[in-house]
Amino acid sequence: MILPDKGSRYKFLSPQFGFVACFIPGTIYAFQYVNKWNLNLSNTTVHLFLLGIVTFVIVSYCTAFLYETTSKKGSLSIANNGININFKIENWKIEFLLLIEFISLVLTVIFLIRNYGSNLSAAIFSYRSSVNNDSSIGNALPGAVKLLRRIALSGGYIVLFLLLNGIVYKNKRNRLAEWLCVILAIINGFMLGGRGDGIQLIVAAIVQYVALKLEVSNSRKVSFKDIIIVLSICIILFSSFIQLGTLLGREMSFLNNNDYMAVYLSAELKNLDIFVTTGIIGHPFIQSLTLYNVINSLGGILSQPSWIHSFAIPYYYYGNYSLGNVGTVFYPFIYDGGWLGVIVYTSIMATICQIVYKRFLKSNKTSDISLSFIFYSYLFYIIIFSFFSNKFYEMIFNTSFVWTMVSWLILKYFLLKIRIKY
């Protein structure tokens, strides 16, 4: 069967759509802070901002065109009509992953309580504060616990795929264990005080569910029921954002709800403008913020201590208003290379995202654990949070992601290849 034009069916999951759309809510929300924050962006900031968005869109479409023209014409799609993947997974394997999720969570809680106090919320806040003040303190988490957490968080994406695949294709095999595994993976993601890991898994769930529904229905449109489900999840996430932060020990009581959301949605624009109009643009490569993790890792490997540097984005303020220390994905690009930095780093990001997206479209979504499919669901969160910070280079160009990929490969091999003969 020749692949249909999936680009039109999945266009709202495309990287260019997600990248452009992610800036819209914060931009709209910012209008009510024009006077409060003196949010009158300079012409230079506006032009750099538009340059980045236009570059991403153009490079995405160019990459898509080149990808299609260089792929073998008339190539067959990967067969999706084989045995459903859930029938290939033995029960005990999902139960084993569930046990890992549970042990990882329990050991993390024990670590926090033993080292930071019996109040779990306060302990989470203390741990996160310690890590923020001294990143090396993160090594205080025992190696075995860190390894289990890596497997647990990585495994959450694979089990999530199995769960949603079973729901969409009406296969109830291992359903309860898969639900529990995904829930524990989300809790694990929140347990060290950051909301990112947990929210990323939820975003991956939305991407995977919508893509699987489109695949099984062979439709160009998402059903009204599915739209309601996705909107409901987004509304719940948005409305519980502050409460979740409080639960994780983030003390933001000095801000009202509107200001709290504004700091997360819109302050990035003000911070970017402050830097563009008052900061120093253009820095040596070894002081790069965009490739901060890569440069620091190479500095350690090659014994070049002068390469190792801090992530030098200060906290910004306007009057008495704290605006945080993030300035959209473009801040480090401008910091490193100005106009050229925006073009080069945005182009690399767009190219990689588009190639992964194309592989996502052609992946086997029924009878195999497609790491291309899972990877793009992981990547989509990174793309849509470009309004916030440089998550692409921070989360993809580092050793943590390498371990995530290794974990996915090992877990796929474990689930599909390991057999125990009784």
Side-chain angles (χ1 to χ4, degrees), residues 234-250:
C234 293
I235 290 170
I236 291 171
L237 274 177
F238 184 83
S239 59
S240 61
F241 190 75
I242 298 175
Q243 288 74 18
L244 180 59
T246 301
L247 184 64
L248 296 178
R250 293 170 179 259

Side-chain angles (χ1 to χ4, degrees), residues 86-161:
N86 280 284
F87 283 121
K88 300 180 181 180
I89 309 296
E90 297 169 275
N91 294 3
W92 71 268
K93 294 180 179 178
I94 301 298
E95 291 167 357
F96 179 74
L97 292 182
L98 177 59
L99 181 63
I100 289 178
E101 295 284 353
F102 180 74
I103 293 175
S104 169
L105 182 60
V106 170
L107 290 179
T108 302
V109 171
I110 291 174
F111 164 78
L112 290 169
I113 291 176
R114 279 183 176 177
N115 291 277
Y116 297 97
S118 58
N119 183 311
L120 185 57
S121 179
I124 292 173
F125 175 73
S126 297
Y127 171 82
R128 189 165 181 81
S129 298
S130 299
V131 171
N132 288 339
N133 292 330
D134 180 5
S135 59
S136 65
I137 199 70
N139 296 326
L141 195 66
V145 179
K146 290 176 69 175
L147 177 61
L148 278 177
R149 281 183 56 80
R150 176 55 54 202
I151 296 172
L153 292 173
S154 302
Y157 289 89
I158 290 181
V159 178
L160 173 66
F161 168 73

Side-chain angles (χ1 to χ4, degrees), residues 24 57 84 107 133 136 184 198 295 377:
I24 295 175
V57 172
N84 185 274
L107 290 179
N133 292 330
S136 65
L184 288 180
I295 301 299
S377 72

Side-chain angles (χ1 to χ4, degrees), residues 16-31:
Q16 59 268 29
F17 180 88
F19 188 81
V20 173
C22 77
F23 290 101
I24 295 175
T27 302
I28 294 174
Y29 207 87
F31 278 104

Side-chain angles (χ1 to χ4, degrees), residues 66-75 362:
L66 291 172
Y67 186 93
E68 293 299 331
T69 55
T70 55
S71 298
K72 292 182 180 179
K73 293 184 177 181
S75 60
K362 297 182 179 182

Side-chain angles (χ1 to χ4, degrees), residues 162-229:
L162 297 175
L163 171 65
L164 295 175
N165 187 286
I167 290 173
V168 171
Y169 288 97
K170 304 186 186 306
N171 185 327
K172 295 185 177 181
R173 182 178 173 85
N174 300 322
R175 179 74 60 83
L176 178 59
E178 288 170 353
W179 265 116
L180 292 174
C181 204
V182 170
I183 291 171
L184 288 180
I186 293 173
I187 296 173
N188 257 317
F190 289 134
M191 191 50 61
L192 291 182
R195 283 171 285 205
D197 288 333
I199 293 176
Q200 186 174 15
L201 194 55
I202 294 171
V203 171
I206 294 173
V207 173
Q208 291 186 21
Y209 177 76
V210 171
L212 288 169
K213 289 289 286 187
L214 285 172
E215 185 78 9
V216 73
S217 65
N218 199 30
S219 170
R220 290 181 180 272
K221 296 181 180 179
V222 181
S223 69
F224 180 74
K225 176 183 175 182
D226 293 329
I227 292 174
I228 294 300
I229 291 174

Side-chain angles (χ1 to χ4, degrees), residues 173-334:
R173 182 178 173 85
N174 300 322
R175 179 74 60 83
L176 178 59
E178 288 170 353
W179 265 116
L180 292 174
C181 204
V182 170
I183 291 171
L184 288 180
I186 293 173
I187 296 173
N188 257 317
F190 289 134
M191 191 50 61
L192 291 182
R195 283 171 285 205
D197 288 333
I199 293 176
Q200 186 174 15
L201 194 55
I202 294 171
V203 171
I206 294 173
V207 173
Q208 291 186 21
Y209 177 76
V210 171
L212 288 169
K213 289 289 286 187
L214 285 172
E215 185 78 9
V216 73
S217 65
N218 199 30
S219 170
R220 290 181 180 272
K221 296 181 180 179
V222 181
S223 69
F224 180 74
K225 176 183 175 182
D226 293 329
I227 292 174
I228 294 300
I229 291 174
V230 171
L231 285 177
S232 298
I233 293 173
C234 293
I235 290 170
I236 291 171
L237 274 177
F238 184 83
S239 59
S240 61
F241 190 75
I242 298 175
Q243 288 74 18
L244 180 59
T246 301
L247 184 64
L248 296 178
R250 293 170 179 259
E251 291 296 331
M252 301 288 279
S253 57
F254 57 91
L255 293 175
N256 60 43
N257 288 356
N258 284 339
D259 289 349
Y260 187 97
M261 294 309 304
V263 167
Y264 280 92
L265 286 176
S266 305
E268 299 82 7
L269 296 172
K270 179 64 177 179
N271 292 344
L272 183 65
D273 188 59
I274 292 173
F275 171 69
V276 168
T277 55
T278 65
I280 299 174
I281 293 175
H283 290 78
F285 183 71
I286 60 172
Q287 296 177 14
S288 173
L289 288 186
T290 305
L291 297 173
Y292 165 79
N293 291 315
V294 175
I295 301 299
N296 279 11
S297 295
L298 288 176
I301 294 171
L302 301 176
S303 299
Q304 295 290 336
S306 62
W307 293 10
I308 299 174
H309 59 287
S310 60
F311 196 70
I313 297 184
Y315 277 84
Y316 288 102
Y317 297 84
Y318 181 75
N320 295 324
Y321 295 104
S322 174
L323 304 176
N325 69 332
V326 287
T328 79
V329 67
F330 302 122
Y331 186 113
F333 301 172
I334 298 168

